[in-house]
Amino acid sequence: MDVVGMLEAASLLVPEGVAAENGVTVSEVWEYLAHDEWEIALDLLEELGDGWSAPPGFWDELERAAGMLGFERSREWCRWRSAETRLGVIRADLVLRPAGETFRRTPVPGAGVLRPMWDIGNRRDDGAPELDIARLWVECAGDLAPGARAPVRLLPLTAERWRHLAPGDRITLYETAVAGGTAEILEVRPPSA
């Protein structure tokens, strides 16, 4: 299947009446597809994916199209969103400790590359924290500098261990034995697939 076919297939999955925050609907996607504006159509479909519980197939089609177009970050974002449909969504407000307080001197990469450990409240039999791993995606930014704050999405290695979290809970990021940041949970949604 070609890029247009993949974008059309994804467009056909969007329910009638769904609109992005900016008011964009699937009919506008079709207009851009008709004029071979594939990149814009892809961007609009990604935005529309936030307006409903899109199935993994929607994100899988967009991932393939982005890959064929050579848009690596977009491809990774669509892969991430597909995983969220199967595992659930966890969003948090993350504040990293300043560079002088931890080992990290460079920004945290924003596109789901980093897999830090988190203290999310789980405990071992002896009462010590049992750390859990989750990939980290920085929303609306390419990275997050030491000392900075941003909304993030987390994709746990073992999603069941994170199900107890709720908005307002505080969790701690670890890349070493020293805490590297803290986050407040903003949103938790169960899997939609």
Side-chain angles (χ1 to χ4, degrees):
M1 187 181 293
D2 63 357
V3 171
V4 175
M6 290 176 212
L7 295 174
E8 288 174 348
S11 298
L12 291 171
L13 293 172
V14 179
E16 189 175 325
V18 169
E21 282 186 18
N22 60 6
V24 170
T25 65
V26 75
S27 63
E28 289 157 279
V29 172
W30 283 100
E31 287 178 33
Y32 284 107
L33 287 173
H35 293 95
D36 294 330
E37 297 284 348
W38 304 338
E39 183 177 359
I40 296 171
L42 174 65
D43 288 343
L44 294 178
L45 284 166
E46 287 178 20
E47 288 179 35
L48 281 169
D50 290 332
W52 62 298
S53 295
F58 173 83
W59 294 109
D60 295 343
E61 290 295 331
L62 295 184
E63 177 190 344
R64 283 192 285 279
M68 290 184 78
L69 291 168
F71 302 141
E72 186 59 27
R73 185 169 172 90
S74 184
R75 184 179 70 82
E76 289 302 318
W77 175 241
C78 294
R79 179 179 290 159
W80 183 281
R81 294 301 304 271
S82 180
E84 283 183 335
T85 64
R86 292 185 298 278
L87 301 172
V89 175
I90 301 173
R91 295 183 61 247
D93 182 32
L94 174 63
V95 180
L96 293 179
R97 291 178 64 186
E101 295 181 14
T102 68
F103 91 98
R104 180 166 285 284
R105 304 284 186 261
T106 60
V108 168
V113 176
L114 188 67
R115 291 174 170 85
M117 297 172 289
W118 297 86
D119 180 352
I120 60 172
N122 293 328
R123 298 289 176 250
R124 296 190 305 223
D125 290 339
D126 64 2
E130 186 168 15
L131 302 180
D132 291 274
I133 298 171
R135 288 175 56 200
L136 173 70
W137 188 286
V138 180
E139 292 184 354
C140 306
D143 56 32
L144 184 61
R149 172 187 212 142
V152 297
R153 293 173 99 97
L154 304 174
L155 202 56
L157 180 64
T158 310
E160 303 78 40
R161 294 180 51 83
W162 294 67
R163 300 262 190 260
H164 67 280
L165 293 176
D169 289 348
R170 298 188 74 71
I171 61 176
T172 306
L173 176 145
Y174 288 90
E175 292 182 84
T176 65
V178 177
T182 57
E184 180 177 340
I185 300 297
L186 300 172
E187 177 184 7
V188 178
R189 277 187 277 147
S192 58

